[in-house]
Structure formats: C-alpha cells, structure tokens
Amino acid sequence: MKFSLSRFPIKTKLTVATLIPLAIGIVFCFLAGIFIVNTKMSGQAQEKAKTDLNVAREALRQELSRVNDVVRFTAALGATAPAIDAGDRTTLATLLGPVRQAEHLDLLTAVDAYGKVVFRAANPLIYGDLQNGDQYVARALKGEVAAGATVIPVSRLALEGGALTQRAKVVAGADTVVAGLFLKVAVPVRAPSGTVVGAMCGGVLLNNNNALLEKIKTAVYEGAGQRKEVGAANLFFGKVRIAGAGPATANYPAGEKLPDEIYRSVLLGDNRTVERTFVSNDWYLTAYDPIRSLQGVPLGALYLGMQESNYSTGRSDLNLLLCAVVFLSLLIGVSVSGVLGSRLARPVKELSMLAKKLAAGERNVQSNIDSRDEIGDLAGSFNEMSRALNEREERIIELNRDLEKKVEQRTAELEENNRLLLQTKEELLRVEKLAAIGELAAGVAHEINNPMAIIRGNTELLQLSIDEDDPNREEVETIFAQVKRVERIVTNLLKFARRERREQGTVQLNGLLKDILAQIGHQESLDGIELEERFSPKVALVSGDSGQLHQVFTNLILNAVQAMPAGGTLTVETLPGLDEETFQVCISDTGVGIPAENVNQIFNPFFTTKTTGTGLGLSVSYGIVKEHGGTIEVTSRPGFGTSFSVILPI
Ligand code: ADP
Ligand code: MG
C-alpha cells in the first residue's frame, strides 16, 4: 500500500509538522544537555577523586605521624638514653614493651650508637645484630628523623618478630608476597649532653592491615559526607594487593594484581593516576597514588575506587530533569498543536458541510466564518458562489416561466391555425362537392331544357286558347309562371355550373321576401303556422341576382315550414347589418331544431334527414350566397327551433 500524507486530517498533519522540528530540537537539546552534564560531571568526579586521594594520603601520613609520635616519645623518655648507653635491656623492656602494646606498633626497636640492636620490643629475645645498613637507622644516628615507607625483606622479618612473617604473607597466585611493607620512623636518642647515643625505630606493617585501610576509607568517604560503603581503599605492594577495605563492587579481590598499564604508570612512572573504567555493568572511577620509599622510589600504591554514579548522584537527577523537560515540552507541543489544528480544521469542516448542503439543493447557504486568513477568503468565495448560484437559479426559473407562457401562446396559435385549416379544408370539400353537383345539375338541366321548352310552348298555347274569365285561367297562369321559373333555375344551374357571374341587378329584399311568402302556400301547407314579418323600414336593397336570391330564401323558408309539422311560428326579419355595408335576413322557426352532430353537415350536398328530401337546398343556397360575397350562418337549439341568417353586401 502506498503511503500518502493526503489521507490524514489537517489536525494530524499540523500536529506532526509542529512536532517533528520540536522533537528534533528537543532531542538535540537533550543529547547536548546530557553530554554537557556528563563531561562536566566527569571532570568534577575526577577532581573529586584527586581530592579523595589527598585525603587518603593524609590518613596514611597521619598513621605515620602517629608512629612518629610514639617513637619520639619513647626516644625522649629520660631513662631511654642511659639504658641504651648502658645496654640495660631490662629497663628498655619496661619502657618500650607497654608502649608498643598500647600503640599497636609492629616494630619498636632500640639501637646503640653503632647501629647494633639493644632491644626489640616485638622480639626481645633477638638482639645484638647490626642495623646500621638500614637507611632509617643510619639517618637517625646522624641525628635526623627518618619517616616513610620501607620494605623489610623476608630474611629480616623473622628477626623483627616471629609472627610478622606469617602476618606479612599475601597469597597472589605464583607471586606470593612474604616481604613486609612498613611505615617506619627512626629518631635519634640523645644523651642530656646532646650527643646521639643511639636510635629508636618504630613501624607498622601494612600487609593485611585492613584496619588501617578501613580507617583510610572512612576518612575518605565519610569525611565527604557519604556513606562509607560506597567506595573502597586498597593498598598495593608492587603489583600485589596487600590490604583493602570497602564494598566488593569497588574493591580489588584479595591477592589481585594491578593491571599492567596501571603498574607502569603508577609504580614505574611514579604518577598519580585517575581513571574511568567500565567494569561488568557500570563505570568506575579509580585513583592510584604511588607510595614511595625514603629515597622517593615507588614501592606500592594506594588505591581508591568507587562506582562513578556514586560520585555524581546529581547527574541522574539532572538527567531526570532533562527527561521531564523533554516530556513536558512534547506534551505542551502536542496539546498546543492539537488545539491549533482543531481550530484550523473546524472552519474547513463547516465549509465542507455547507457545500454538501448546497449540493443537496439547499439555497442561499451562507457561512459566517470571519477569520482574516486564507480560510476566511475561502469562506467569502463560498458565500459569493452560493449567492451567484441562487441568482442564476432564480433567473432560470423565470426564463422557464417565460418559456412556458410562450409555448402556451404558440400552442394556442397553432390550435387556431389548425381550426382554420380544418375549416378551410371543410369549405374546400364543400366547394368541390358543389362543383360536382353543379356539373351534375348542369347535365340534368341540359336534359331538362328540351322537355321544358315543349311544356312552355304548350302552356303558351293553353294560355292563348283559354278565355279571360275561365275559372282555370289562374292555374294556367301559375303553371306558366312556374315553368318560366323552372327555366330560370335550369338556366341558373347551367350558368352556375359554368362558373359565370349571375345576372347582376338590384334586389329589393323586403319585396322579394313578400313575394316568396305569398307563393309559399302553393308549395307547402301552412296550417297551424303563424307568420311573423319584421321588415326593416329602411329600404333593403342589395346588388345581386334576384332569381338566385329568391331560390335561397325559398329554400330557407321551406325548410323552416317543414321543421314545424305540428305548427309554430315562422319569423322573417330583415335588418341592416352592424356596419353600413351589409344587410341581414333572418328566417327563424320554432321547429324541431338541428342536433349538434348535424350542424356541420347540413350545407353538404345530399345531406338530408327527410325521406323525400334531396339534400340540395342548403348546399345550393350556400353556393349562391358565397357567390354574392355574403355569409350564411345557423344557430339552433334542438327541440326549440332554428334560425338562419343571411348577410349580404349592399
Ligand atoms: P332537404 O330539405 O331536401 O332535406 P336541405 O339542404 O334543404 O335538404 O336541408 C338539409 C337538412 O337540413 C334537412 O334535411 C334538415 O334535416 C335540416 N334543416 C334544414 N333547415 C332546417 C330547419 N329550419 N329546421 C330543422 N332542420 C333543418
Ligand atoms: Mg330543403
């Protein structure tokens, strides 16, 4: 899986970004602190070790000075000089024996002016041997005081005291030490006159003298206000440890030898040496000081050792403090960056939530983040965007509304156009049918013409042959008039079929209608029919063919009468049109009416609801009115009656 920073929240990133430099800085500071503390502490520890070494040496010197005091005291006793001079060993025994015992000296020996042993307090039975070869004795006999460390070889140890050989023995592997390392003092013994009559020697064996080392250790470590178990003090004779005190951790084991480099540095090089050594699991601070002979030759070494941590308890405290500081700064860093991070992330989260709301369709979402940083800018842009979005949506809604309105308008226009188209189509159909029927009628009329001519001729003959007062005269006249009308119709039909303009003249509508009403009784029974005439007083003159118009109104009136088989009212009305240019004729009845589904068909040729009807009346009338530039309209209520109105141009 690829590691990507981008999937962590801002808060975490900020925390990490803050913590990384902080942690690096802190770690550097920590290491530097530890380094400084450690070097400083190490230096201090080494200084301290040197001081300790001085204290130890001082303790050793004190022991020497104690021996010195004792020896001087015995040398100065009034009885000592004469007893040595006289070789009075009994007196010497009473003088030296108790002092040696009380002061725990391993040697207390009186020699005469020649260096010959007069009395050995540690070994009274042996005397008379010469000691003038001994540096200390030689010096004392010269009148000086000699004090220092010295080695007494095994051959002489037996002389000095029977138990000394045993006590000096230190087993150290192959190099078993049997010689004794002593602190030794020799002082001159003078006669009252001041002449040196002999010397008094005293000494303390250092081999296995753990009590002395204990004293030194106490002086060093307790004097410094520390627990005395913390460090060890050892004494080396040559390479070999001959005495020691202190805890095992800081101690050389009994019989252990000095490491070669230490031996070289301290004993061969005659140097005081302080070292840091890592032993098993901790650092140790070890200090060595050479122990020199009277001539200044290193014979052995005084050693102090202790765990370095004991020197520097403060160090661990300091380290602890540093750790605490590091931990505290990290804690503060984490919490501060955490708080900062969440404060920074909060507005971002809010913006994301608002954006979701916006996406879900909520309108005019506004954030109220008022920080002046980039996030504030972002919030401002977001608000701007939200506002703009809102405005745009409102504009779109408005445009939609406009569009809908326009579509409605266009649809209405389209419907109107459709209606007009349908009407035109119907009209066209009707005109076509009219044309067809016209042609048919023309054909029929043409055929009728010849028989009609014969009927006319014969009727004229009948007219001429009948008397003026003959009772049948009127019928003959009527036949003649109707024959002429038939001829006219036929002629008109022929003319109509040939699409020619009719005989143009002026027609007085009122007169024409009156004529028709007078004649109508001949064609249809008017029983039970009330006639109502409402003629306009204004002279109703229209231009046109009176014969054709006669036919139109006859048709309409006949239809009205036929619609009222049970009687009713027939109204014939003439009135001026709404404008000054037309005249209107209304023919109404109170008959059966026309069902709605038939209204559109009544002008079609051959449409009829009557058994003896031809269905031609209205279609022919329609054609004629149209030919005259007029219109014909119908309104009807089934069961109540029908009204036809013909509007003609004047
Ligand atoms: P016809 O009279 O030979 O039937 P028309 O063309 O004159 O033919 O009339 C067509 C049809 O119109 C009639 O059959 C009738 O159904 C209807 N009609 C015409 N005028 C009227 C009217 N005044 N009242 C009721 N129906 C009428
Ligand atoms: Mg009719």
Side-chain angles (χ1 to χ4, degrees), residues 554-556 558-560 562 607-608 610 613-618:
T554 306
N555 276 337
L556 293 178
L558 269 178
N559 279 346
Q562 284 162 4
F607 177 80
T608 179
K610 300 165 192 167
T614 60
L616 275 171
L618 283 179

Side-chain angles (χ1 to χ4, degrees), residues 364 366 382-395:
N364 215 1
Q366 295 284 310
F382 176 85
N383 287 350
E384 195 61 40
M385 180 186 79
S386 173
R387 234 190 324 270
L389 216 62
N390 197 38
E391 269 171 26
R392 205 167 309 161
E393 201 172 61
E394 270 170 15
R395 223 177 306 140

Side-chain angles (χ1 to χ4, degrees), residues 418-614:
N418 261 355
R419 206 184 54 75
L420 283 176
L421 200 71
L422 217 69
Q423 206 173 315
T424 312
K425 216 169 112 184
E426 269 170 18
E427 236 156 72
L428 212 70
L429 207 72
R430 197 172 292 140
V431 167
E432 253 173 38
K433 276 185 182 174
L434 263 172
I437 193 67
E439 233 159 90
L440 184 76
V444 172
H446 193 78
E447 289 305 313
I448 286 172
N449 247 355
N450 291 339
M452 220 48 212
I454 295 165
I455 292 170
R456 183 189 163 103
N458 284 341
T459 311
E460 269 176 339
L461 283 178
L462 201 61
Q463 217 178 6
L464 288 174
S465 63
I466 205 156
D467 285 341
E468 284 285 337
D469 50 352
D470 193 297
N472 294 325
R473 172 86 191 180
E474 200 182 333
E475 275 74 19
V476 174
E477 291 285 323
T478 308
I479 290 170
F480 191 60
Q482 291 305 314
V483 167
K484 277 204 273 190
R485 201 183 132 223
V486 169
E487 273 179 346
R488 206 163 53 240
I489 288 170
V490 168
T491 315
N492 276 344
L493 269 175
L494 285 168
K495 279 184 185 173
F496 175 73
R498 272 184 242 118
R499 298 250 171 253
E500 276 170 18
R501 194 71 186 132
R502 311 303 178 272
E503 278 167 22
Q504 200 64 29
T506 308
V507 182
Q508 216 280 19
L509 285 176
N510 287 355
L512 181 71
L513 288 166
K514 273 178 195 153
D515 280 356
I516 293 167
L517 287 170
Q519 288 170 8
I520 206 79
H522 297 298
Q523 292 182 44
E524 201 72 44
S525 152
L526 296 175
D527 288 346
I529 291 176
E530 205 178 301
L531 182 66
E532 200 179 320
E533 294 174 17
R534 292 188 204 154
F535 293 129
S536 167
K538 227 178 140 192
V539 185
L541 284 175
V542 294
S543 62
D545 187 314
S546 68
Q548 285 187 350
L549 290 178
H550 187 280
Q551 193 186 346
V552 168
F553 296 126
T554 306
N555 276 337
L556 293 178
I557 289 165
L558 269 178
N559 279 346
V561 172
Q562 284 162 4
M564 299 182 288
T569 309
L570 168 70
T571 310
V572 178
E573 190 183 7
T574 59
L575 63 161
L578 292 174
D579 46 20
E580 296 288 294
E581 288 153 17
T582 55
F583 212 85
Q584 193 174 345
V585 179
C586 279
I587 294 155
S588 314
D589 63 68
T590 55
V592 292
I594 307 166
E597 67 267 21
N598 289 348
V599 170
N600 276 336
Q601 303 190 57
I602 54 172
F603 292 103
N604 289 345
F606 307 115
F607 177 80
T608 179
T609 56
K610 300 165 192 167
T611 44
T612 56
T614 60

Side-chain angles (χ1 to χ4, degrees), residues 362-375:
E362 205 169 302
R363 280 301 144 241
N364 215 1
V365 181
Q366 295 284 310
S367 81
N368 43 17
I369 298 163
D370 61 348
S371 60
R372 276 185 221 148
D373 52 9
E374 290 87 340
I375 289 173

